[in-house]
Amino acid sequence: MCNLYNVTTTRDAVLQFTKAFRDKAGWNEASFDVYPNTLAPIVRVGEDGQREIVRATWGMPTPPGYLKGKNYDPGVTNIRDVSSSWWRRWLGPTSRCVVPFTSFAEPDPASQVPGARVPNAWFAQNPDRPLMFFAGFWTPWKGVKKVRDGEREFELYGFLTTSPNDIVKPIHFKAMPAILTTHEEVDLWLTGSWEEVKHLQRPLPGNMLVVVEPPVKEPKEDMLL
């Protein structure tokens, strides 16, 4: 399960790639890691039909049966079973988004040193870490993410996963994110019917992904997350 990714790019690069009309995210960081239940930029189609960058919280609403009496919802970051009635409500283009990233992590238990934390393996399209996008969903939601904060209004997002390719499978044999790498794929995901886009829930070919070193940490100025 991908629960950590990095964005090392510029707002202008995302605007240009996605043909977004406006930035409502206040993006000002050169590089940052994204964890569940933190704010990060996504690109969606706004109410006026124009594409926009906004900030949303990573973790879609959890199906009630999985909350098991909890009085808060930790959210679902990765979505795979789109045949579920719970997820079908968000399959239309008005609920879709693309999530910019340049590398993502999967836990790598095989590399764990005894007594130490499980390290992450990092993946990118190539060592230069070009901009890519997760195929995602978003929704407005009112509820409790943290008990101490009480009920609040959120805009949430998550992204599709699929079977792993030959690069990811040795590290994480269950799944990998569904990744978009071209302007055409981004355009289709944001505008097409589900029948037109469902084929994008597929593993990226193995020759389009490599294992890379962890992202270099940049000095933090004004925090986005």
Side-chain angles (χ1 to χ4, degrees):
M1 179 181 295
C2 176
N3 274 328
L4 171 62
Y5 64 92
N6 177 267
V7 187
T8 301
T9 188
T10 66
R11 177 196 66 174
D12 289 345
V14 174
L15 286 168
Q16 182 177 4
F17 197 113
T18 63
K19 304 174 187 174
F21 180 72
R22 56 181 168 260
D23 172 23
K24 297 169 68 175
W27 191 334
N28 57 14
E29 283 192 277
S31 178
F32 53 93
D33 291 341
V34 182
Y35 296 88
N37 285 316
T38 57
L39 286 166
I42 64 172
V43 179
R44 67 184 183 193
V45 177
E47 292 183 357
D48 61 357
Q50 299 283 359
R51 296 181 191 180
E52 59 188 17
I53 305 175
V54 300
R55 290 191 297 171
T57 300
W58 187 16
M60 289 285 280
T62 303
Y66 289 89
L67 290 176
K68 299 178 180 178
K70 292 179 180 177
N71 58 353
Y72 68 98
D73 185 349
V76 177
T77 56
N78 296 188
I79 299 155
R80 185 162 182 177
D81 184 11
V82 292
S83 66
S84 162
S85 60
W86 182 255
W87 300 117
R88 284 202 299 267
R89 72 193 74 189
W90 292 302
L91 297 185
T94 57
S95 295
R96 286 190 229 129
C97 64
V98 294
V99 183
F101 78 99
T102 48
S103 58
F104 70 92
E106 297 285 4
D108 184 11
S111 299
Q112 183 178 15
V113 175
R117 297 177 61 181
V118 176
N120 287 312
W122 285 86
F123 303 90
Q125 187 172 6
N126 61 51
D128 293 331
R129 306 175 198 237
L131 177 61
M132 298 192 287
F133 296 85
F134 299 125
F137 304 102
W138 77 276
T139 188
W141 181 77
K142 186 175 182 179
V144 179
K145 281 283 187 185
K146 297 179 180 179
V147 174
R148 68 174 181 267
D149 294 337
E151 187 176 67
R152 296 173 53 198
E153 292 185 352
F154 297 86
E155 288 188 335
L156 306 177
Y157 77 95
F159 49 75
L160 275 179
T161 60
T162 184
S163 54
N165 65 17
D166 293 341
I167 304 302
V168 176
K169 192 172 184 178
I171 305 295
H172 189 66
F173 69 92
K174 290 184 177 181
M176 68 174 288
I179 296 171
L180 311 176
T181 62
T182 68
H183 300 280
E184 293 78 13
E185 289 174 344
V186 167
D187 286 344
L188 183 61
W189 182 256
L190 290 176
T191 62
S193 69
W194 180 248
E195 287 300 312
E196 292 173 318
V197 305
K198 65 181 182 180
H199 71 279
L200 295 172
Q201 189 182 16
R202 79 288 181 254
L204 202 64
N207 63 357
M208 294 182 67
L209 208 64
V210 298
V211 177
V212 294
E213 292 296 316
V216 176
K217 301 298 183 184
E218 298 287 338
K220 294 184 179 181
E221 298 176 357
D222 295 325
M223 291 294 293
L224 171 66
L225 303 182

mmCIF file of all heavy atoms in Angstrom, residues 8 101-104 122-132 167 179 181 204-213:
data_model
loop_
_atom_site.group_PDB
_atom_site.id
_atom_site.type_symbol
_atom_site.label_atom_id
_atom_site.label_comp_id
_atom_site.label_asym_id
_atom_site.label_seq_id
_atom_site.Cartn_x
_atom_site.Cartn_y
_atom_site.Cartn_z
ATOM 1 N N THR A 8 8.539 16.735 -6.102
ATOM 2 C CA THR A 8 9.666 17.630 -6.329
ATOM 3 C C THR A 8 9.506 18.192 -7.725
ATOM 4 O O THR A 8 9.978 17.629 -8.709
ATOM 5 C CB THR A 8 11.016 16.902 -6.183
ATOM 6 O OG1 THR A 8 11.112 16.343 -4.868
ATOM 7 C CG2 THR A 8 12.178 17.857 -6.392
ATOM 8 N N PHE A 101 3.012 13.839 -8.595
ATOM 9 C CA PHE A 101 4.083 13.274 -7.778
ATOM 10 C C PHE A 101 5.299 13.063 -8.671
ATOM 11 O O PHE A 101 5.205 13.052 -9.895
ATOM 12 C CB PHE A 101 3.647 11.949 -7.124
ATOM 13 C CG PHE A 101 3.677 10.760 -8.062
ATOM 14 C CD1 PHE A 101 4.748 9.871 -8.057
ATOM 15 C CD2 PHE A 101 2.644 10.547 -8.970
ATOM 16 C CE1 PHE A 101 4.783 8.789 -8.930
ATOM 17 C CE2 PHE A 101 2.669 9.466 -9.838
ATOM 18 C CZ PHE A 101 3.739 8.580 -9.821
ATOM 19 N N THR A 102 6.441 12.879 -8.039
ATOM 20 C CA THR A 102 7.659 12.559 -8.786
ATOM 21 C C THR A 102 8.296 11.247 -8.318
ATOM 22 O O THR A 102 9.089 10.660 -9.037
ATOM 23 C CB THR A 102 8.682 13.700 -8.691
ATOM 24 O OG1 THR A 102 8.816 14.112 -7.324
ATOM 25 C CG2 THR A 102 8.238 14.886 -9.526
ATOM 26 N N SER A 103 7.947 10.789 -7.111
ATOM 27 C CA SER A 103 8.374 9.453 -6.655
ATOM 28 C C SER A 103 7.411 8.996 -5.573
ATOM 29 O O SER A 103 6.765 9.807 -4.914
ATOM 30 C CB SER A 103 9.817 9.467 -6.127
ATOM 31 O OG SER A 103 9.984 10.378 -5.068
ATOM 32 N N PHE A 104 7.302 7.673 -5.432
ATOM 33 C CA PHE A 104 6.445 7.132 -4.379
ATOM 34 C C PHE A 104 7.167 5.996 -3.670
ATOM 35 O O PHE A 104 8.120 5.410 -4.205
ATOM 36 C CB PHE A 104 5.093 6.657 -4.936
ATOM 37 C CG PHE A 104 5.147 5.420 -5.800
ATOM 38 C CD1 PHE A 104 4.966 4.150 -5.252
ATOM 39 C CD2 PHE A 104 5.352 5.515 -7.170
ATOM 40 C CE1 PHE A 104 5.000 3.007 -6.044
ATOM 41 C CE2 PHE A 104 5.380 4.379 -7.980
ATOM 42 C CZ PHE A 104 5.203 3.128 -7.412
ATOM 43 N N TRP A 122 11.887 3.450 -2.899
ATOM 44 C CA TRP A 122 11.309 4.569 -3.652
ATOM 45 C C TRP A 122 11.346 4.267 -5.145
ATOM 46 O O TRP A 122 12.307 3.685 -5.646
ATOM 47 C CB TRP A 122 12.072 5.851 -3.364
ATOM 48 C CG TRP A 122 11.763 6.436 -2.021
ATOM 49 C CD1 TRP A 122 12.354 6.124 -0.817
ATOM 50 C CD2 TRP A 122 10.766 7.421 -1.728
ATOM 51 N NE1 TRP A 122 11.791 6.852 0.189
ATOM 52 C CE2 TRP A 122 10.818 7.665 -0.327
ATOM 53 C CE3 TRP A 122 9.854 8.131 -2.504
ATOM 54 C CZ2 TRP A 122 9.980 8.577 0.296
ATOM 55 C CZ3 TRP A 122 9.015 9.053 -1.879
ATOM 56 C CH2 TRP A 122 9.087 9.269 -0.502
ATOM 57 N N PHE A 123 10.298 4.705 -5.833
ATOM 58 C CA PHE A 123 10.156 4.440 -7.268
ATOM 59 C C PHE A 123 9.884 5.748 -8.007
ATOM 60 O O PHE A 123 9.157 6.621 -7.514
ATOM 61 C CB PHE A 123 8.997 3.478 -7.525
ATOM 62 C CG PHE A 123 9.119 2.163 -6.803
ATOM 63 C CD1 PHE A 123 8.589 2.009 -5.529
ATOM 64 C CD2 PHE A 123 9.765 1.084 -7.392
ATOM 65 C CE1 PHE A 123 8.687 0.798 -4.856
ATOM 66 C CE2 PHE A 123 9.878 -0.123 -6.719
ATOM 67 C CZ PHE A 123 9.338 -0.277 -5.456
ATOM 68 N N ALA A 124 10.451 5.865 -9.220
ATOM 69 C CA ALA A 124 10.208 7.013 -10.085
ATOM 70 C C ALA A 124 10.262 6.532 -11.535
ATOM 71 O O ALA A 124 10.682 5.398 -11.814
ATOM 72 C CB ALA A 124 11.242 8.105 -9.847
ATOM 73 N N GLN A 125 9.862 7.404 -12.446
ATOM 74 C CA GLN A 125 9.860 7.000 -13.853
ATOM 75 C C GLN A 125 11.278 6.775 -14.363
ATOM 76 O O GLN A 125 11.535 5.866 -15.153
ATOM 77 C CB GLN A 125 9.162 8.055 -14.712
ATOM 78 C CG GLN A 125 8.975 7.611 -16.157
ATOM 79 C CD GLN A 125 8.123 8.575 -16.956
ATOM 80 O OE1 GLN A 125 7.755 9.633 -16.470
ATOM 81 N NE2 GLN A 125 7.813 8.212 -18.179
ATOM 82 N N ASN A 126 12.213 7.598 -13.905
ATOM 83 C CA ASN A 126 13.632 7.427 -14.218
ATOM 84 C C ASN A 126 14.416 8.216 -13.176
ATOM 85 O O ASN A 126 13.818 8.902 -12.333
ATOM 86 C CB ASN A 126 13.944 7.859 -15.663
ATOM 87 C CG ASN A 126 13.638 9.321 -15.922
ATOM 88 O OD1 ASN A 126 14.063 10.205 -15.174
ATOM 89 N ND2 ASN A 126 12.887 9.584 -16.992
ATOM 90 N N PRO A 127 15.740 8.138 -13.179
ATOM 91 C CA PRO A 127 16.508 8.822 -12.128
ATOM 92 C C PRO A 127 16.302 10.333 -12.073
ATOM 93 O O PRO A 127 16.563 10.953 -11.036
ATOM 94 C CB PRO A 127 17.960 8.469 -12.480
ATOM 95 C CG PRO A 127 17.854 7.146 -13.193
ATOM 96 C CD PRO A 127 16.596 7.243 -14.001
ATOM 97 N N ASP A 128 15.838 10.949 -13.173
ATOM 98 C CA ASP A 128 15.580 12.388 -13.162
ATOM 99 C C ASP A 128 14.257 12.744 -12.483
ATOM 100 O O ASP A 128 13.956 13.925 -12.290
ATOM 101 C CB ASP A 128 15.580 12.942 -14.588
ATOM 102 C CG ASP A 128 16.952 12.882 -15.231
ATOM 103 O OD1 ASP A 128 17.956 12.952 -14.493
ATOM 104 O OD2 ASP A 128 17.019 12.743 -16.473
ATOM 105 N N ARG A 129 13.432 11.752 -12.175
ATOM 106 C CA ARG A 129 12.157 11.920 -11.477
ATOM 107 C C ARG A 129 11.224 12.925 -12.167
ATOM 108 O O ARG A 129 10.850 13.940 -11.572
ATOM 109 C CB ARG A 129 12.396 12.321 -10.013
ATOM 110 C CG ARG A 129 13.315 11.352 -9.287
ATOM 111 C CD ARG A 129 13.620 11.830 -7.884
ATOM 112 N NE ARG A 129 14.799 11.160 -7.374
ATOM 113 C CZ ARG A 129 14.854 10.431 -6.258
ATOM 114 N NH1 ARG A 129 13.794 10.305 -5.501
ATOM 115 N NH2 ARG A 129 15.965 9.845 -5.880
ATOM 116 N N PRO A 130 10.838 12.658 -13.404
ATOM 117 C CA PRO A 130 9.907 13.575 -14.070
ATOM 118 C C PRO A 130 8.529 13.532 -13.422
ATOM 119 O O PRO A 130 8.172 12.593 -12.705
ATOM 120 C CB PRO A 130 9.857 13.039 -15.511
ATOM 121 C CG PRO A 130 10.206 11.596 -15.385
ATOM 122 C CD PRO A 130 11.205 11.516 -14.267
ATOM 123 N N LEU A 131 7.752 14.558 -13.700
ATOM 124 C CA LEU A 131 6.412 14.685 -13.147
ATOM 125 C C LEU A 131 5.496 13.594 -13.703
ATOM 126 O O LEU A 131 5.445 13.346 -14.905
ATOM 127 C CB LEU A 131 5.857 16.067 -13.504
ATOM 128 C CG LEU A 131 4.430 16.396 -13.091
ATOM 129 C CD1 LEU A 131 4.268 16.334 -11.573
ATOM 130 C CD2 LEU A 131 4.045 17.774 -13.623
ATOM 131 N N MET A 132 4.772 12.938 -12.806
ATOM 132 C CA MET A 132 3.740 11.973 -13.173
ATOM 133 C C MET A 132 2.520 12.261 -12.307
ATOM 134 O O MET A 132 2.545 13.144 -11.449
ATOM 135 C CB MET A 132 4.228 10.532 -12.970
ATOM 136 C CG MET A 132 5.413 10.144 -13.826
ATOM 137 S SD MET A 132 5.741 8.341 -13.816
ATOM 138 C CE MET A 132 6.430 8.147 -12.175
ATOM 139 N N ILE A 167 8.799 -4.293 -11.481
ATOM 140 C CA ILE A 167 9.717 -3.500 -10.660
ATOM 141 C C ILE A 167 9.218 -3.409 -9.221
ATOM 142 O O ILE A 167 9.984 -3.526 -8.263
ATOM 143 C CB ILE A 167 9.885 -2.086 -11.257
ATOM 144 C CG1 ILE A 167 10.348 -2.164 -12.721
ATOM 145 C CG2 ILE A 167 10.867 -1.266 -10.427
ATOM 146 C CD1 ILE A 167 11.657 -2.912 -12.914
ATOM 147 N N ILE A 179 -0.869 4.914 -12.554
ATOM 148 C CA ILE A 179 -0.079 6.111 -12.847
ATOM 149 C C ILE A 179 -0.352 6.597 -14.264
ATOM 150 O O ILE A 179 -0.425 5.820 -15.207
ATOM 151 C CB ILE A 179 1.419 5.799 -12.670
ATOM 152 C CG1 ILE A 179 1.705 5.439 -11.199
ATOM 153 C CG2 ILE A 179 2.285 6.968 -13.116
ATOM 154 C CD1 ILE A 179 3.102 4.906 -10.957
ATOM 155 N N THR A 181 1.096 9.195 -17.271
ATOM 156 C CA THR A 181 2.386 9.788 -17.635
ATOM 157 C C THR A 181 2.304 10.730 -18.834
ATOM 158 O O THR A 181 3.299 11.382 -19.146
ATOM 159 C CB THR A 181 3.415 8.694 -17.962
ATOM 160 O OG1 THR A 181 2.952 7.940 -19.091
ATOM 161 C CG2 THR A 181 3.628 7.760 -16.777
ATOM 162 N N LEU A 204 1.881 0.316 -14.585
ATOM 163 C CA LEU A 204 2.790 0.966 -15.518
ATOM 164 C C LEU A 204 3.782 -0.080 -16.034
ATOM 165 O O LEU A 204 4.277 -0.901 -15.256
ATOM 166 C CB LEU A 204 3.533 2.085 -14.796
ATOM 167 C CG LEU A 204 4.131 3.213 -15.633
ATOM 168 C CD1 LEU A 204 3.038 3.998 -16.333
ATOM 169 C CD2 LEU A 204 4.951 4.133 -14.736
ATOM 170 N N PRO A 205 4.080 -0.098 -17.326
ATOM 171 C CA PRO A 205 5.063 -1.063 -17.824
ATOM 172 C C PRO A 205 6.369 -0.994 -17.047
ATOM 173 O O PRO A 205 6.798 0.081 -16.617
ATOM 174 C CB PRO A 205 5.253 -0.638 -19.290
ATOM 175 C CG PRO A 205 3.968 0.035 -19.660
ATOM 176 C CD PRO A 205 3.517 0.740 -18.406
ATOM 177 N N GLY A 206 7.003 -2.140 -16.875
ATOM 178 C CA GLY A 206 8.216 -2.210 -16.069
ATOM 179 C C GLY A 206 9.346 -1.329 -16.552
ATOM 180 O O GLY A 206 10.180 -0.877 -15.759
ATOM 181 N N ASN A 207 9.393 -1.066 -17.876
ATOM 182 C CA ASN A 207 10.466 -0.221 -18.400
ATOM 183 C C ASN A 207 10.209 1.262 -18.183
ATOM 184 O O ASN A 207 10.991 2.108 -18.616
ATOM 185 C CB ASN A 207 10.694 -0.504 -19.886
ATOM 186 C CG ASN A 207 9.486 -0.168 -20.748
ATOM 187 O OD1 ASN A 207 8.434 0.225 -20.242
ATOM 188 N ND2 ASN A 207 9.630 -0.342 -22.048
ATOM 189 N N MET A 208 9.086 1.592 -17.502
ATOM 190 C CA MET A 208 8.756 2.994 -17.230
ATOM 191 C C MET A 208 8.850 3.320 -15.746
ATOM 192 O O MET A 208 8.322 4.331 -15.290
ATOM 193 C CB MET A 208 7.353 3.319 -17.748
ATOM 194 C CG MET A 208 7.224 3.240 -19.250
ATOM 195 S SD MET A 208 5.569 3.698 -19.830
ATOM 196 C CE MET A 208 5.534 5.455 -19.414
ATOM 197 N N LEU A 209 9.546 2.459 -14.985
ATOM 198 C CA LEU A 209 9.680 2.684 -13.549
ATOM 199 C C LEU A 209 11.012 2.120 -13.085
ATOM 200 O O LEU A 209 11.423 1.033 -13.528
ATOM 201 C CB LEU A 209 8.530 2.003 -12.804
ATOM 202 C CG LEU A 209 8.080 2.610 -11.467
ATOM 203 C CD1 LEU A 209 7.523 4.014 -11.678
ATOM 204 C CD2 LEU A 209 7.026 1.726 -10.820
ATOM 205 N N VAL A 210 11.682 2.830 -12.200
ATOM 206 C CA VAL A 210 12.952 2.373 -11.639
ATOM 207 C C VAL A 210 12.960 2.623 -10.140
ATOM 208 O O VAL A 210 12.203 3.454 -9.626
ATOM 209 C CB VAL A 210 14.163 3.080 -12.291
ATOM 210 C CG1 VAL A 210 14.239 2.790 -13.776
ATOM 211 C CG2 VAL A 210 14.114 4.582 -12.033
ATOM 212 N N VAL A 211 13.817 1.918 -9.433
ATOM 213 C CA VAL A 211 14.052 2.166 -8.013
ATOM 214 C C VAL A 211 15.060 3.306 -7.890
ATOM 215 O O VAL A 211 16.090 3.322 -8.586
ATOM 216 C CB VAL A 211 14.580 0.899 -7.308
ATOM 217 C CG1 VAL A 211 14.883 1.186 -5.836
ATOM 218 C CG2 VAL A 211 13.574 -0.237 -7.429
ATOM 219 N N VAL A 212 14.758 4.269 -7.031
ATOM 220 C CA VAL A 212 15.629 5.431 -6.859
ATOM 221 C C VAL A 212 15.959 5.624 -5.377
ATOM 222 O O VAL A 212 15.344 5.008 -4.506
ATOM 223 C CB VAL A 212 14.959 6.720 -7.409
ATOM 224 C CG1 VAL A 212 14.796 6.637 -8.920
ATOM 225 C CG2 VAL A 212 13.618 6.984 -6.727
ATOM 226 N N GLU A 213 16.903 6.488 -5.131
ATOM 227 C CA GLU A 213 17.245 6.847 -3.759
ATOM 228 C C GLU A 213 16.116 7.685 -3.147
ATOM 229 O O GLU A 213 15.334 8.308 -3.872
ATOM 230 C CB GLU A 213 18.552 7.645 -3.723
ATOM 231 C CG GLU A 213 19.784 6.843 -4.106
ATOM 232 C CD GLU A 213 20.053 5.721 -3.120
ATOM 233 O OE1 GLU A 213 19.949 5.973 -1.897
ATOM 234 O OE2 GLU A 213 20.360 4.601 -3.570
#
